[in-house]
Amino acid sequence: MAVDLHKFANPARFLRISDAIFPWVSGLAVILLAIGLYMALFVSPRDYQQGDTVRIMFVHVPAAWMSMSIYVMMAVASAVGLIWKHPVADLSAKASAPIGACFTFLALVTGALWGQPMWGTYWVWDARLTSMLILFFLYLGYMALWSSFDDQSKAAKAAAILVLVGVINIPIIKFSVDWWNTLHQPASVATMEGPKIHSSILTPLLIMGVAYLALFASVFIIRVKSEILSRRLRMLQINRLQE
Amino acid sequence: MIAFWTLFLRDLKLAYRQGSTIPMTLAFFVIAVTLFPLGVGPELNILARIAPGVLWVAALLACLLTLDRLYQADYEDGTLEQLMQGPLPIEFMVLAKISAHWITSVVPLILITPIVAISLNLPTDGIWVMVLSLMIGSPVLSLIGSIGGALTVAMRRGGVLLSLLVLPLYIPVLIFGVAAVEASIGMLPVKSHLMLLGGLSLGALVVSPIASGAALRLAVE
């Protein structure tokens, strides 16, 4: 009959705050995605070399930004969860992982689709592509580790250890891959930098970035909320069985 | 310190008396390398070109094979719990086991590498740098692998998950190890690559006992 009340103290507050924020964030995501996509697809100028394919950038680049930031966010959340035993922190790390993996996948796929017309091939072992792929594997490993534990609190700690080791390694991997690539094929990297960014391109890009952020926040809130509720449900079921 | 050496020698003895593990790892290493000429074709210049990478990757995979038993046997019969009750801090216990693992599972691979490298037509200068780079870089394999082994210790089929967790983290050491050998074949200075490998090893030496220790505490509690 022992419902651990203090465990719910923080999640309850989280639910209250997130319920208040959610309509705003999701609304913002929808509006900004609409504006950003319209500007990206219709308003922004065609590139004189790349033609219309340059518009893939507006989907591609913010996804790459998000994939990196979400991993860092997971690491911070995991550290908080590990040090202060904050239950929502563990849950947020867990909830963000699939979203981060999706953004990484999106960046990889759009990058491949963009690479075909521009470089003539879907995949090159360019430094950025490779480090993105490795990041994707790190996400997969993290999620696999979560799902292979029965005990959720153990899974949270194990995953936190993994993500913290991973976050130390990401700069090393990034650096080594950069370095590895420039040794072998220096020419293909330069085309990726492209021309200097003009405001007509930068504005939709930034709008898309903020839109992705808002999208992440709304999906994140839904995932954490469902996680908290399912735990509460299980707790109630266990309590009923014990009676 | 005595406890450290006792545990270290115990693990060495266990590996020695079990007998079959070391030859099997070696056999795996040789067979894995043998598959490449069969798959790629027997042209000697192509083999010489891919040899450093093939040897490093085969060493990675062979090391991975033994990692899932690093803590599991002790976990299953309760020895791990006893060790954690003992006087030795858990980080040092981890370090003793990792050192024993490196000596029993990785060093044999390094010793056999020159012979396998000759069969792949690796130039003579490259062979010594190959051995040296493995010597300096391969502790990372045991150290980072230990984190994965500790995280998956309580799982019945942790081996597959272990490789998913650990292999992405092995990438830097693979890149710098291969780069050192290729630099030596290309008559370029190899010192900086070897120093980077040394740096990776030292970094892993700091991180791994702490992370593995935390993971083991989690498994036993």
Side-chain angles (χ1 to χ4, degrees):
Chain A
M1 191 44 232
V3 178
D4 196 358
L5 270 179
H6 88 272
K7 222 175 180 179
F8 288 142
N10 275 322
R13 200 187 304 149
F14 174 86
L15 285 182
R16 231 183 15 256
I17 296 171
S18 66
D19 276 347
I21 298 176
F22 182 71
W24 296 97
V25 194
S26 52
L28 191 70
V30 171
I31 294 168
L32 283 183
L33 268 181
I35 298 175
L37 282 177
Y38 176 75
M39 284 183 77
L41 297 182
F42 299 105
V43 179
S44 86
R46 289 159 55 102
D47 189 80
Y48 75 101
Q49 267 182 330
Q50 307 193 8
D52 277 329
T53 50
V54 75
R55 302 187 196 282
I56 296 176
M57 178 182 77
F58 299 106
V59 185
H60 172 76
V61 174
W65 290 343
M66 290 305 293
S67 60
M68 279 300 208
S69 349
I70 290 176
Y71 198 86
V72 175
M73 187 212 126
M74 276 162 58
V76 174
S78 301
V80 170
L82 211 55
I83 297 167
W84 289 289
K85 310 257 185 293
H86 195 302
V88 181
D90 287 338
L91 287 183
S92 4
K94 183 188 182 186
S96 354
I99 316 175
C102 285
F103 276 120
T104 318
F105 188 68
L106 182 67
L108 282 171
V109 169
T110 51
L113 291 177
W114 193 9
Q116 170 58 20
M118 292 327 301
W119 299 332
T121 169
Y122 285 109
W123 186 262
V124 289
W125 289 96
D126 172 81
R128 294 192 196 191
L129 276 74
T130 313
S131 52
M132 229 25 175
L133 187 65
I134 299 165
L135 184 65
F136 186 60
F137 289 141
L138 287 174
Y139 274 121
L140 287 187
Y142 179 85
M143 291 190 292
L145 190 64
W146 256 105
S147 60
S148 53
F149 277 91
D150 292 333
D151 182 347
Q152 291 291 304
S153 67
K154 273 192 179 182
K157 278 185 204 156
I161 295 170
L162 180 70
V163 79
L164 288 174
V165 173
V167 86
I168 301 171
N169 264 279
I170 278 190
I172 303 176
I173 291 174
K174 180 91 185 98
F175 167 68
S176 63
V177 168
D178 272 346
W179 195 82
W180 161 71
N181 180 261
T182 48
L183 197 70
H184 283 279
Q185 28 171 242
S188 67
V189 188
T191 56
M192 204 156 167
E193 303 297 331
K196 281 229 159 93
I197 293 182
H198 187 258
S199 66
S200 62
I201 296 174
L202 190 62
T203 319
L205 193 61
L206 289 179
I207 291 178
M208 284 300 282
V210 179
Y212 275 23
L213 200 61
L215 181 66
F216 165 73
S218 24
V219 180
F220 172 76
I221 287 176
I222 296 174
R223 288 190 59 90
V224 176
K225 197 173 158 185
S226 67
E227 193 73 33
I228 292 175
L229 292 180
S230 78
R231 276 194 192 190
R232 196 173 286 186
L233 191 64
R234 194 162 52 208
M235 199 77 96
L236 288 174
Q237 281 168 339
I238 291 172
N239 280 336
R240 167 173 299 173
L241 286 176
Q242 280 172 343
E243 265 167 18
Chain B
M1 209 55 215
I2 295 171
F4 181 89
W5 285 112
T6 315
L7 180 59
F8 174 69
L9 291 175
R10 165 187 172 270
D11 270 29
L12 286 188
K13 257 184 220 156
L14 273 177
Y16 174 69
R17 290 194 182 150
Q18 273 170 355
S20 62
T21 321
I22 298 174
M24 281 205 297
T25 320
L26 281 178
F28 173 83
F29 179 66
V30 176
I31 290 175
V33 172
T34 313
L35 291 180
F36 280 88
L38 297 176
V40 178
E43 290 87 358
L44 286 179
N45 54 342
I46 294 179
L47 287 182
R49 169 73 192 79
I50 63 170
V54 167
L55 289 171
W56 259 101
V57 170
L60 283 185
L61 296 178
C63 175
L64 207 59
L65 279 186
T66 48
L67 277 175
D68 61 330
R69 296 303 291 173
L70 179 58
Y71 299 108
Q72 217 165 35
D74 284 346
Y75 175 77
E76 279 163 2
D77 62 12
T79 315
L80 194 66
E81 225 163 318
Q82 297 298 322
L83 285 173
M84 290 170 72
Q85 303 288 330
L88 195 60
I90 188 165
E91 285 77 18
F92 284 95
M93 182 200 99
V94 166
L95 215 53
K97 289 189 78 70
I98 294 173
S99 323
H101 173 265
W102 185 69
I103 288 176
T104 55
S105 313
V106 183
V107 171
L109 302 181
I110 302 178
L111 296 180
I112 208 177
T113 298
I115 303 170
V116 185
I118 290 172
S119 76
L120 288 180
N121 194 33
L122 192 69
T124 324
D125 298 341
I127 292 179
W128 297 116
V129 177
M130 179 84 221
V131 172
L132 202 58
S133 74
L134 276 170
M135 270 298 188
I136 299 176
S138 63
V140 177
L141 307 184
S142 294
L143 285 163
I144 291 185
S146 142
I147 303 175
L151 282 174
T152 55
V153 68
M155 292 165 201
R156 226 166 294 125
R157 284 180 297 133
V160 186
L161 179 62
L162 175 73
S163 45
L164 183 59
L165 300 183
V166 161
L167 281 179
L169 303 179
Y170 278 171
I171 288 167
V173 74
L174 172 68
I175 288 175
F176 290 123
V178 173
V181 185
E182 289 188 342
S184 83
I185 296 173
M187 303 293 179
L188 295 166
V190 294
K191 198 173 153 198
S192 58
H193 304 270
L194 294 179
M195 284 171 109
L196 275 167
L197 277 178
L200 288 178
S201 281
L202 292 176
L205 188 65
V206 176
V207 175
S208 167
I210 301 171
S212 312
L216 286 179
R217 265 190 215 108
L218 190 66
V220 170
E221 90 188 4

